[in-house]
Amino acid sequence: MHHYSDSIVIALVIIANAIIGYVQERQADDALAKISELLISKNFVIRGDEKLELDSRELVVGDLVNLEAGDAIPADLRLISADNFSVQESSLTGESVSVEKN
């Protein structure tokens, strides 16, 4: 049909669409990586008579974790002592109210 100008315009639109899609996908991946870094909680841990601030993924069995008001509980823990301890379990149970623990 010899519509070369139409073919060129269609090819340019396809190339522009691919470039824009790639850039948006890259930005979304970068944003997700930054969000996942923010979700890693840091906690104060007593390990070998030293108080360290570690990421929750670096905890090992035997670490003593010092939790304060507002801290995220990093893993399954055994409580040694607690004072007025309540936990927001909405992500697990769907409850909107904090649950008292003893």
Coordinates of all heavy atoms in Angstrom, one line a residue:
M1 N 0.8 -1.2 0.0 CA 0.0 0.0 0.0 C 0.9 1.3 0.0 O 0.3 2.3 -0.2 CB -0.9 0.0 1.2 CG -1.9 -1.1 1.2 SD -3.0 -0.9 2.6 CE -4.5 -1.1 1.8
H2 N 2.1 1.1 0.3 CA 3.1 2.2 0.2 C 2.7 3.4 1.2 O 2.9 4.5 0.8 CB 3.3 2.7 -1.2 CG 3.7 1.6 -2.1 ND1 5.0 1.1 -2.1 CD2 3.0 1.0 -3.1 CE1 5.0 0.2 -3.0 NE2 3.9 0.1 -3.7
H3 N 2.3 3.1 2.4 CA 2.0 4.1 3.4 C 3.2 4.1 4.4 O 3.1 3.8 5.5 CB 0.7 3.8 4.2 CG -0.5 3.9 3.4 ND1 -1.0 5.1 3.0 CD2 -1.3 2.9 2.9 CE1 -2.1 4.8 2.3 NE2 -2.3 3.5 2.2
Y4 N 4.3 4.6 3.8 CA 5.6 4.6 4.6 C 5.5 5.6 5.8 O 6.0 5.3 6.9 CB 6.8 5.0 3.7 CG 7.0 3.9 2.6 CD1 6.8 4.3 1.3 CD2 7.3 2.6 2.9 CE1 7.0 3.4 0.3 CE2 7.5 1.7 1.9 CZ 7.4 2.1 0.6 OH 7.5 1.2 -0.4
S5 N 4.8 6.7 5.6 CA 4.8 7.7 6.7 C 3.9 7.1 7.9 O 4.3 7.3 9.0 CB 4.1 9.0 6.2 OG 2.8 8.8 5.7
D6 N 2.9 6.4 7.6 CA 2.1 5.7 8.6 C 2.9 4.7 9.3 O 2.8 4.6 10.6 CB 0.8 5.1 8.0 CG -0.2 6.1 7.6 OD1 -0.1 7.3 8.0 OD2 -1.1 5.8 6.8
S7 N 3.6 3.9 8.6 CA 4.5 2.9 9.2 C 5.5 3.4 10.1 O 5.8 2.9 11.2 CB 5.2 2.0 8.1 OG 4.2 1.4 7.3
I8 N 6.1 4.6 9.7 CA 7.2 5.2 10.5 C 6.5 5.8 11.8 O 7.1 5.6 12.9 CB 7.9 6.3 9.7 CG1 8.7 5.7 8.6 CG2 8.7 7.2 10.6 CD1 9.3 6.7 7.7
V9 N 5.4 6.4 11.7 CA 4.7 6.9 12.9 C 4.3 5.8 13.9 O 4.5 5.9 15.1 CB 3.5 7.7 12.5 CG1 2.6 8.1 13.7 CG2 3.9 9.0 11.8
I10 N 3.8 4.7 13.4 CA 3.4 3.6 14.2 C 4.7 3.0 14.9 O 4.7 2.7 16.1 CB 2.7 2.5 13.4 CG1 1.3 3.0 13.0 CG2 2.5 1.2 14.2 CD1 0.5 2.1 12.0
A11 N 5.8 2.8 14.1 CA 7.0 2.3 14.7 C 7.5 3.2 15.8 O 8.0 2.8 16.9 CB 8.1 2.1 13.6
L12 N 7.5 4.6 15.6 CA 7.9 5.5 16.6 C 7.1 5.4 17.9 O 7.6 5.5 19.0 CB 8.0 6.9 16.0 CG 9.1 7.2 15.0 CD1 8.9 8.6 14.4 CD2 10.4 7.0 15.6
V13 N 5.8 5.3 17.7 CA 4.9 5.2 18.8 C 5.2 3.9 19.6 O 5.2 3.9 20.9 CB 3.4 5.2 18.4 CG1 2.5 4.8 19.5 CG2 3.0 6.6 17.9
I14 N 5.4 2.8 18.9 CA 5.7 1.5 19.6 C 7.0 1.7 20.4 O 7.2 1.2 21.5 CB 5.8 0.4 18.6 CG1 4.4 0.1 18.1 CG2 6.4 -0.9 19.2 CD1 4.3 -0.9 17.0
I15 N 8.0 2.3 19.8 CA 9.3 2.5 20.4 C 9.2 3.4 21.7 O 9.7 3.1 22.7 CB 10.4 3.0 19.4 CG1 10.7 1.9 18.4 CG2 11.7 3.4 20.2 CD1 11.6 2.4 17.3
A16 N 8.5 4.5 21.5 CA 8.3 5.4 22.6 C 7.5 4.7 23.8 O 7.9 4.9 25.0 CB 7.5 6.6 22.2
N17 N 6.5 3.9 23.4 CA 5.7 3.2 24.4 C 6.7 2.2 25.2 O 6.6 2.1 26.4 CB 4.6 2.4 23.8 CG 3.6 1.9 24.8 OD1 3.6 2.2 25.9 ND2 2.8 0.9 24.3
A18 N 7.5 1.5 24.5 CA 8.4 0.6 25.1 C 9.4 1.3 26.1 O 9.7 0.8 27.2 CB 9.2 -0.2 24.1
I19 N 9.9 2.4 25.6 CA 10.9 3.2 26.5 C 10.2 3.7 27.7 O 10.7 3.6 28.8 CB 11.5 4.3 25.7 CG1 12.4 3.8 24.6 CG2 12.3 5.3 26.6 CD1 12.9 4.8 23.6
I20 N 9.0 4.3 27.6 CA 8.2 4.8 28.7 C 7.9 3.6 29.7 O 8.0 3.8 30.9 CB 7.0 5.5 28.3 CG1 7.4 6.8 27.6 CG2 6.0 5.8 29.4 CD1 6.2 7.5 26.9
G21 N 7.5 2.5 29.2 CA 7.2 1.4 30.0 C 8.4 0.9 30.8 O 8.3 0.5 32.0
Y22 N 9.5 0.8 30.1 CA 10.8 0.4 30.8 C 11.1 1.4 31.9 O 11.5 0.9 33.0 CB 11.9 0.3 29.8 CG 13.2 0.0 30.4 CD1 13.5 -1.3 30.9 CD2 14.2 1.0 30.6 CE1 14.7 -1.5 31.5 CE2 15.4 0.8 31.2 CZ 15.7 -0.5 31.7 OH 16.9 -0.8 32.3
V23 N 11.1 2.7 31.7 CA 11.4 3.7 32.7 C 10.5 3.6 33.9 O 10.9 3.6 35.0 CB 11.4 5.1 32.1 CG1 11.5 6.1 33.1 CG2 12.5 5.2 31.0
Q24 N 9.2 3.4 33.6 CA 8.2 3.3 34.7 C 8.4 2.0 35.5 O 8.3 2.1 36.8 CB 6.8 3.4 34.2 CG 6.4 4.7 33.7 CD 5.0 4.8 33.2 OE1 4.4 3.7 32.8 NE2 4.4 6.0 33.2
E25 N 8.7 0.9 34.9 CA 9.0 -0.3 35.6 C 10.2 -0.2 36.4 O 10.3 -0.7 37.6 CB 9.2 -1.4 34.5 CG 9.3 -2.8 35.1 CD 8.0 -3.4 35.7 OE1 6.9 -2.9 35.2 OE2 8.0 -4.2 36.6
R26 N 11.2 0.5 35.9 CA 12.5 0.7 36.7 C 12.2 1.5 37.9 O 12.7 1.2 39.0 CB 13.5 1.3 35.8 CG 14.8 1.5 36.3 CD 15.6 0.2 36.4 NE 16.9 0.5 36.7 CZ 17.9 -0.4 36.7 NH1 17.6 -1.6 36.3 NH2 19.1 -0.1 37.0
Q27 N 11.5 2.6 37.8 CA 11.1 3.4 38.9 C 10.3 2.7 40.0 O 10.5 2.8 41.2 CB 10.4 4.7 38.5 CG 11.2 5.7 37.7 CD 10.4 6.8 37.1 OE1 9.2 6.8 37.1 NE2 11.1 7.9 36.7
A28 N 9.4 1.9 39.5 CA 8.6 1.1 40.4 C 9.4 0.1 41.2 O 9.3 -0.1 42.4 CB 7.5 0.3 39.7
D29 N 10.4 -0.6 40.5 CA 11.3 -1.5 41.2 C 12.2 -0.8 42.3 O 12.4 -1.3 43.4 CB 12.2 -2.2 40.2 CG 11.5 -3.3 39.4 OD1 10.4 -3.7 39.9 OD2 12.0 -3.7 38.3
D30 N 12.7 0.4 41.9 CA 13.5 1.2 42.9 C 12.6 1.6 44.1 O 13.1 1.5 45.2 CB 14.0 2.4 42.2 CG 15.1 2.1 41.2 OD1 15.6 0.9 41.2 OD2 15.4 3.0 40.3
A31 N 11.4 2.0 43.9 CA 10.5 2.4 45.0 C 10.2 1.2 45.9 O 10.2 1.3 47.1 CB 9.2 3.0 44.4
L32 N 10.0 0.0 45.3 CA 9.7 -1.2 46.1 C 11.0 -1.6 46.9 O 10.8 -2.0 48.1 CB 9.3 -2.3 45.2 CG 7.9 -2.6 45.1 CD1 7.6 -3.6 44.0 CD2 7.3 -3.0 46.4
A33 N 12.1 -1.4 46.3 CA 13.4 -1.7 47.1 C 13.5 -0.8 48.3 O 13.9 -1.2 49.4 CB 14.6 -1.7 46.2
K34 N 13.2 0.5 48.1 CA 13.4 1.4 49.2 C 12.3 1.2 50.3 O 12.6 1.3 51.4 CB 13.2 2.9 48.6 CG 14.4 3.3 47.8 CD 14.2 4.7 47.3 CE 15.4 5.1 46.4 NZ 15.3 6.4 45.8
I35 N 11.1 0.8 49.9 CA 10.1 0.5 50.9 C 10.5 -0.7 51.6 O 10.3 -0.8 52.9 CB 8.7 0.3 50.2 CG1 8.2 1.7 49.7 CG2 7.7 -0.3 51.1 CD1 7.0 1.6 48.8
S36 N 11.0 -1.8 51.0 CA 11.4 -3.0 51.7 C 12.5 -2.7 52.7 O 12.6 -3.3 53.7 CB 11.7 -4.1 50.7 OG 12.9 -3.8 50.0
E37 N 13.4 -1.8 52.4 CA 14.5 -1.4 53.3 C 13.9 -0.7 54.5 O 14.4 -0.9 55.6 CB 15.5 -0.5 52.6 CG 16.4 -1.2 51.6 CD 17.3 -0.2 50.9 OE1 17.5 0.9 51.4 OE2 17.9 -0.6 49.9
L38 N 12.8 0.1 54.4 CA 12.2 0.8 55.5 C 11.5 -0.2 56.4 O 11.3 0.1 57.6 CB 11.2 1.8 55.0 CG 11.8 3.0 54.3 CD1 10.7 3.9 53.7 CD2 12.6 3.9 55.3
L39 N 11.0 -1.3 55.9 CA 10.2 -2.2 56.7 C 11.1 -3.1 57.6 O 10.6 -3.8 58.4 CB 9.4 -3.1 55.8 CG 8.3 -2.4 55.0 CD1 7.5 -3.3 54.1 CD2 7.3 -1.7 56.0
I40 N 12.4 -3.2 57.3 CA 13.3 -3.9 58.2 C 13.5 -3.2 59.5 O 14.0 -2.1 59.5 CB 14.6 -4.2 57.5 CG1 14.4 -5.0 56.2 CG2 15.6 -4.9 58.4 CD1 15.7 -5.1 55.4
S41 N 13.0 -3.8 60.6 CA 13.1 -3.1 61.9 C 14.5 -3.3 62.5 O 15.1 -4.3 62.3 CB 12.0 -3.6 62.8 OG 12.2 -5.0 63.1
K42 N 14.9 -2.3 63.2 CA 16.2 -2.4 64.0 C 15.8 -2.5 65.4 O 14.9 -1.8 65.9 CB 17.0 -1.1 63.7 CG 17.6 -1.1 62.3 CD 18.6 0.0 62.3 CE 19.3 0.1 60.9 NZ 20.4 -0.8 60.8
N43 N 16.5 -3.3 66.2 CA 16.2 -3.5 67.6 C 17.5 -3.5 68.3 O 18.6 -3.8 67.8 CB 15.5 -4.9 67.8 CG 14.2 -4.9 67.1 OD1 14.0 -5.4 66.0 ND2 13.2 -4.4 67.8
F44 N 17.4 -3.1 69.6 CA 18.6 -3.2 70.5 C 18.7 -4.6 71.0 O 17.7 -5.2 71.5 CB 18.5 -2.2 71.6 CG 18.7 -0.8 71.2 CD1 17.6 0.1 71.0 CD2 20.0 -0.3 70.9 CE1 17.8 1.4 70.6 CE2 20.2 1.0 70.5 CZ 19.1 1.8 70.3
V45 N 19.8 -5.2 70.9 CA 20.1 -6.6 71.3 C 21.2 -6.7 72.3 O 22.2 -6.0 72.1 CB 20.4 -7.5 70.0 CG1 20.7 -8.9 70.4 CG2 19.2 -7.4 69.1
I46 N 21.1 -7.5 73.3 CA 22.2 -7.7 74.2 C 22.8 -9.0 73.8 O 22.2 -10.1 73.9 CB 21.7 -7.7 75.7 CG1 21.1 -6.4 76.0 CG2 22.9 -8.1 76.6 CD1 20.5 -6.3 77.3
R47 N 24.0 -9.0 73.3 CA 24.7 -10.2 72.9 C 26.1 -10.2 73.5 O 27.0 -9.3 73.1 CB 24.8 -10.2 71.3 CG 25.4 -11.4 70.7 CD 25.5 -11.3 69.2 NE 24.2 -11.4 68.6 CZ 24.0 -11.3 67.3 NH1 25.1 -11.0 66.5 NH2 22.9 -11.4 66.7
G48 N 26.4 -11.1 74.3 CA 27.7 -11.2 74.9 C 28.1 -9.9 75.7 O 29.2 -9.4 75.5
D49 N 27.2 -9.5 76.6 CA 27.4 -8.3 77.5 C 27.6 -7.0 76.7 O 28.1 -6.0 77.3 CB 28.6 -8.5 78.4 CG 28.4 -9.6 79.4 OD1 27.2 -9.9 79.7 OD2 29.4 -10.2 79.9
E50 N 27.3 -7.0 75.4 CA 27.3 -5.7 74.7 C 25.9 -5.4 74.2 O 25.1 -6.3 73.8 CB 28.2 -5.9 73.4 CG 29.7 -6.0 73.8 CD 30.5 -6.1 72.5 OE1 30.3 -5.2 71.6 OE2 31.4 -6.9 72.4
K51 N 25.5 -4.1 74.1 CA 24.2 -3.7 73.6 C 24.5 -3.2 72.2 O 25.2 -2.2 72.0 CB 23.7 -2.6 74.5 CG 22.2 -2.2 74.1 CD 21.6 -1.3 75.1 CE 20.2 -1.0 74.8 NZ 19.6 -0.1 75.7
L52 N 23.9 -3.9 71.2 CA 24.1 -3.6 69.8 C 22.7 -3.3 69.2 O 21.7 -3.7 69.6 CB 24.6 -4.9 69.1 CG 25.9 -5.5 69.6 CD1 26.1 -6.8 69.0 CD2 27.1 -4.6 69.4
E53 N 22.8 -2.5 68.1 CA 21.6 -2.2 67.3 C 21.7 -3.0 66.0 O 22.6 -2.7 65.2 CB 21.4 -0.7 67.1 CG 20.1 -0.4 66.4 CD 19.9 1.1 66.2 OE1 20.9 1.9 66.3 OE2 18.8 1.5 65.9
L54 N 20.8 -4.0 65.9 CA 20.9 -4.9 64.7 C 19.6 -4.9 64.0 O 18.5 -4.6 64.5 CB 21.2 -6.3 65.2 CG 22.5 -6.6 65.9 CD1 22.6 -8.0 66.4 CD2 23.7 -6.3 65.1
D55 N 19.7 -5.3 62.7 CA 18.5 -5.5 61.9 C 17.8 -6.8 62.4 O 18.5 -7.7 62.9 CB 18.8 -5.7 60.4 CG 19.3 -4.5 59.7 OD1 19.0 -3.4 60.3 OD2 19.9 -4.6 58.7
S56 N 16.5 -6.8 62.3 CA 15.8 -8.0 62.8 C 16.2 -9.3 62.1 O 16.1 -10.4 62.7 CB 14.3 -7.8 62.6 OG 13.9 -7.6 61.3
R57 N 16.7 -9.2 60.8 CA 17.1 -10.4 60.1 C 18.4 -11.0 60.6 O 18.8 -12.1 60.3 CB 17.1 -10.2 58.6 CG 18.1 -9.1 58.2 CD 18.0 -8.8 56.7 NE 18.7 -7.6 56.4 CZ 18.4 -6.9 55.4 NH1 17.5 -7.3 54.5 NH2 19.1 -5.8 55.2
E58 N 19.1 -10.2 61.5 CA 20.4 -10.6 62.0 C 20.3 -11.3 63.4 O 21.3 -11.6 64.0 CB 21.4 -9.5 62.0 CG 21.7 -8.9 60.7 CD 22.7 -7.7 60.8 OE1 23.2 -7.4 61.9 OE2 22.8 -7.1 59.7
L59 N 19.1 -11.4 63.9 CA 18.9 -12.0 65.2 C 19.2 -13.5 65.2 O 18.9 -14.2 64.2 CB 17.5 -11.8 65.7 CG 17.1 -10.3 66.0 CD1 15.7 -10.2 66.4 CD2 18.0 -9.7 67.1
V60 N 19.7 -14.0 66.2 CA 20.0 -15.5 66.4 C 19.4 -16.0 67.7 O 19.1 -15.2 68.6 CB 21.5 -15.8 66.3 CG1 22.0 -15.5 64.9 CG2 22.2 -15.1 67.4
V61 N 19.3 -17.3 67.8 CA 18.8 -17.9 69.0 C 19.7 -17.5 70.2 O 20.9 -17.6 70.0 CB 18.7 -19.4 68.9 CG1 18.3 -20.0 70.2 CG2 17.7 -19.7 67.8
G62 N 19.1 -17.0 71.3 CA 19.9 -16.7 72.4 C 20.1 -15.2 72.6 O 20.6 -14.7 73.6
D63 N 19.7 -14.4 71.6 CA 19.9 -12.9 71.7 C 18.8 -12.4 72.7 O 17.7 -12.9 72.7 CB 19.6 -12.2 70.4 CG 20.9 -12.3 69.4 OD1 22.0 -12.6 70.0 OD2 20.7 -12.1 68.2
L64 N 19.2 -11.5 73.5 CA 18.2 -10.8 74.4 C 17.8 -9.5 73.7 O 18.7 -8.6 73.5 CB 18.8 -10.5 75.7 CG 19.2 -11.7 76.6 CD1 19.9 -11.3 77.8 CD2 17.9 -12.5 76.9
V65 N 16.5 -9.4 73.3 CA 16.1 -8.2 72.6 C 15.4 -7.2 73.6 O 14.6 -7.6 74.4 CB 15.0 -8.6 71.5 CG1 14.5 -7.4 70.8 CG2 15.7 -9.6 70.5
N66 N 15.8 -6.0 73.5 CA 15.2 -4.9 74.4 C 14.2 -4.2 73.6 O 14.5 -3.4 72.7 CB 16.4 -4.0 74.9 CG 15.9 -3.0 75.8 OD1 14.8 -3.1 76.4 ND2 16.7 -1.9 76.0
L67 N 12.9 -4.4 73.9 CA 11.8 -3.7 73.2 C 11.4 -2.5 74.0 O 11.3 -2.6 75.3 CB 10.6 -4.7 73.1 CG 10.8 -5.9 72.2 CD1 9.6 -6.8 72.2 CD2 11.1 -5.5 70.8
E68 N 11.1 -1.4 73.3 CA 10.6 -0.2 73.9 C 9.2 0.1 73.3 O 8.9 -0.5 72.3 CB 11.6 0.9 73.8 CG 12.9 0.6 74.5 CD 13.9 1.7 74.4 OE1 13.6 2.7 73.7 OE2 15.0 1.6 74.9
A69 N 8.5 1.1 73.8 CA 7.2 1.5 73.3 C 7.4 1.8 71.8 O 8.2 2.6 71.4 CB 6.7 2.7 74.0
G70 N 6.5 1.3 71.0 CA 6.5 1.5 69.5 C 7.4 0.7 68.7 O 7.3 0.7 67.5
D71 N 8.2 -0.2 69.3 CA 9.1 -1.1 68.5 C 8.2 -2.2 67.9 O 7.3 -2.7 68.5 CB 10.1 -1.7 69.4 CG 11.2 -0.7 69.8 OD1 11.2 0.4 69.2 OD2 12.1 -1.1 70.7
A72 N 8.7 -2.6 66.7 CA 8.1 -3.8 66.1 C 8.8 -5.0 66.7 O 10.0 -5.1 66.8 CB 8.3 -3.7 64.6
I73 N 8.0 -6.1 67.0 CA 8.5 -7.3 67.5 C 9.2 -8.0 66.3 O 8.5 -8.4 65.3 CB 7.5 -8.2 68.1 CG1 6.9 -7.4 69.3 CG2 8.0 -9.5 68.6 CD1 5.7 -8.1 70.0
P74 N 10.5 -8.3 66.4 CA 11.2 -8.8 65.2 C 11.0 -10.2 64.9 O 11.2 -10.6 63.7 CB 12.7 -8.5 65.5 CG 12.7 -8.5 67.0 CD 11.4 -8.0 67.5
A75 N 10.7 -11.1 65.8 CA 10.6 -12.5 65.6 C 9.9 -13.2 66.8 O 9.3 -12.5 67.6 CB 12.0 -13.1 65.5
D76 N 9.8 -14.5 66.8 CA 9.3 -15.2 67.9 C 10.2 -15.0 69.1 O 11.4 -15.3 69.0 CB 9.1 -16.7 67.6 CG 8.1 -16.9 66.6 OD1 7.2 -16.1 66.4 OD2 8.2 -18.0 65.9
L77 N 9.7 -14.4 70.1 CA 10.5 -14.1 71.3 C 9.9 -14.8 72.5 O 8.7 -15.0 72.6 CB 10.6 -12.6 71.5 CG 11.2 -11.8 70.4 CD1 11.1 -10.3 70.8 CD2 12.7 -12.1 70.3
R78 N 10.8 -15.0 73.5 CA 10.3 -15.5 74.8 C 10.5 -14.3 75.7 O 11.6 -13.7 75.9 CB 11.2 -16.6 75.3 CG 10.7 -17.2 76.7 CD 11.5 -18.3 77.1 NE 11.5 -19.4 76.1 CZ 12.5 -20.2 76.0 NH1 13.6 -20.2 76.8 NH2 12.5 -21.2 75.1
L79 N 9.4 -13.8 76.4 CA 9.5 -12.7 77.2 C 10.1 -13.0 78.6 O 9.7 -14.0 79.2 CB 8.1 -12.1 77.5 CG 7.4 -11.4 76.3 CD1 6.0 -11.0 76.6 CD2 8.3 -10.3 75.7
I80 N 11.1 -12.3 79.0 CA 11.7 -12.5 80.3 C 11.0 -11.6 81.3 O 10.7 -12.1 82.4 CB 13.2 -12.2 80.2 CG1 13.9 -13.2 79.3 CG2 13.8 -12.3 81.6 CD1 15.4 -13.0 79.1
S81 N 10.8 -10.4 80.9 CA 10.0 -9.5 81.8 C 9.3 -8.4 80.9 O 9.8 -8.1 79.9 CB 10.9 -8.8 82.8 OG 11.9 -7.9 82.2
A82 N 8.2 -8.0 81.4 CA 7.4 -7.0 80.7 C 6.6 -6.1 81.6 O 6.2 -6.6 82.7 CB 6.5 -7.6 79.7
D83 N 6.4 -4.9 81.3 CA 5.6 -4.0 82.1 C 4.6 -3.3 81.2 O 5.0 -2.6 80.2 CB 6.5 -3.0 82.8 CG 5.8 -2.1 83.7 OD1 4.8 -2.5 84.3 OD2 6.2 -0.9 83.9
N84 N 3.3 -3.5 81.4 CA 2.3 -2.9 80.6 C 2.5 -3.2 79.1 O 2.6 -2.3 78.3 CB 2.2 -1.4 80.7 CG 1.8 -1.0 82.1 OD1 1.0 -1.7 82.8 ND2 2.3 0.2 82.6
F85 N 2.5 -4.5 78.8 CA 2.9 -4.9 77.5 C 1.6 -5.2 76.7 O 0.8 -6.1 77.1 CB 3.7 -6.2 77.6 CG 4.3 -6.7 76.3 CD1 5.2 -5.9 75.6 CD2 4.0 -7.9 75.8 CE1 5.7 -6.3 74.4 CE2 4.5 -8.4 74.6 CZ 5.4 -7.6 73.9
S86 N 1.4 -4.5 75.6 CA 0.3 -4.8 74.6 C 0.8 -4.9 73.2 O 1.8 -4.2 72.9 CB -0.8 -3.8 74.8 OG -0.4 -2.5 74.4
V87 N 0.2 -5.6 72.4 CA 0.6 -5.9 71.0 C -0.5 -5.6 70.0 O -1.6 -6.0 70.2 CB 1.1 -7.3 70.9 CG1 1.6 -7.6 69.4 CG2 2.2 -7.6 71.8
Q88 N -0.2 -4.9 69.0 CA -1.1 -4.6 67.9 C -1.0 -5.8 66.9 O 0.0 -5.9 66.2 CB -0.7 -3.3 67.2 CG -1.6 -2.9 66.0 CD -3.0 -2.6 66.4 OE1 -3.2 -2.2 67.5 NE2 -3.9 -2.7 65.5
E89 N -2.0 -6.7 66.9 CA -2.0 -7.9 66.1 C -2.9 -7.8 64.9 O -3.3 -8.8 64.3 CB -2.4 -9.1 67.0 CG -1.5 -9.4 68.1 CD -1.9 -10.5 68.9 OE1 -3.1 -10.9 68.9 OE2 -1.1 -11.1 69.6
S90 N -3.2 -6.6 64.4 CA -4.1 -6.5 63.3 C -3.7 -7.2 62.0 O -4.5 -7.7 61.3 CB -4.4 -5.0 63.0 OG -3.2 -4.4 62.6
S91 N -2.4 -7.3 61.8 CA -1.9 -8.0 60.6 C -2.1 -9.5 60.7 O -2.2 -10.2 59.6 CB -0.5 -7.6 60.3 OG 0.3 -8.1 61.4
L92 N -2.2 -10.0 61.9 CA -2.3 -11.5 62.1 C -3.8 -11.9 62.2 O -4.3 -12.8 61.7 CB -1.6 -11.9 63.3 CG 0.0 -11.7 63.2 CD1 0.6 -12.1 64.6 CD2 0.6 -12.5 62.1
T93 N -4.5 -11.1 63.1 CA -5.9 -11.5 63.4 C -7.0 -10.6 62.9 O -8.1 -11.0 62.9 CB -6.0 -11.5 65.0 OG1 -5.8 -10.2 65.5 CG2 -5.0 -12.5 65.6
G94 N -6.6 -9.4 62.5 CA -7.6 -8.5 62.0 C -8.3 -7.6 63.1 O -9.1 -6.8 62.8
E95 N -7.8 -7.8 64.3 CA -8.4 -7.0 65.4 C -7.8 -5.6 65.3 O -6.6 -5.4 65.0 CB -8.0 -7.6 66.8 CG -8.5 -9.0 67.0 CD -8.1 -9.6 68.3 OE1 -7.8 -8.8 69.3 OE2 -8.0 -10.8 68.4
S96 N -8.6 -4.6 65.6 CA -8.2 -3.3 65.5 C -7.7 -2.7 66.8 O -7.1 -1.6 66.9 CB -9.3 -2.4 65.0 OG -10.4 -2.4 65.9
V97 N -7.9 -3.5 67.9 CA -7.5 -3.0 69.2 C -6.3 -3.8 69.7 O -6.1 -5.0 69.4 CB -8.7 -3.3 70.2 CG1 -8.3 -2.8 71.6 CG2 -9.9 -2.6 69.7
S98 N -5.4 -3.1 70.4 CA -4.2 -3.8 71.0 C -4.6 -4.8 72.0 O -5.6 -4.6 72.7 CB -3.3 -2.7 71.6 OG -2.8 -1.8 70.7
V99 N -3.8 -5.9 72.0 CA -4.1 -7.0 72.9 C -3.1 -7.0 74.1 O -1.9 -6.9 73.8 CB -4.0 -8.3 72.2 CG1 -4.3 -9.5 73.1 CG2 -5.0 -8.3 71.0
E100 N -3.6 -7.0 75.3 CA -2.7 -7.1 76.5 C -2.0 -8.4 76.6 O -2.7 -9.5 76.4 CB -3.5 -6.8 77.8 CG -3.9 -5.4 78.0 CD -2.8 -4.5 78.4 OE1 -1.9 -5.0 79.1 OE2 -2.8 -3.3 78.0
K101 N -0.8 -8.4 76.8 CA 0.0 -9.7 77.0 C 0.6 -9.7 78.4 O 0.8 -8.7 79.0 CB 1.2 -9.7 76.0 CG 0.8 -9.7 74.6 CD 0.1 -11.0 74.2 CE -0.3 -10.9 72.7 NZ -0.9 -12.1 72.2
N102 N 0.7 -10.9 79.0 CA 1.3 -11.0 80.3 C 2.2 -12.2 80.3 O 2.3 -13.0 79.5 CB 0.2 -11.2 81.4 CG -0.8 -12.3 81.1 OD1 -0.6 -13.1 80.2 ND2 -1.9 -12.2 81.8

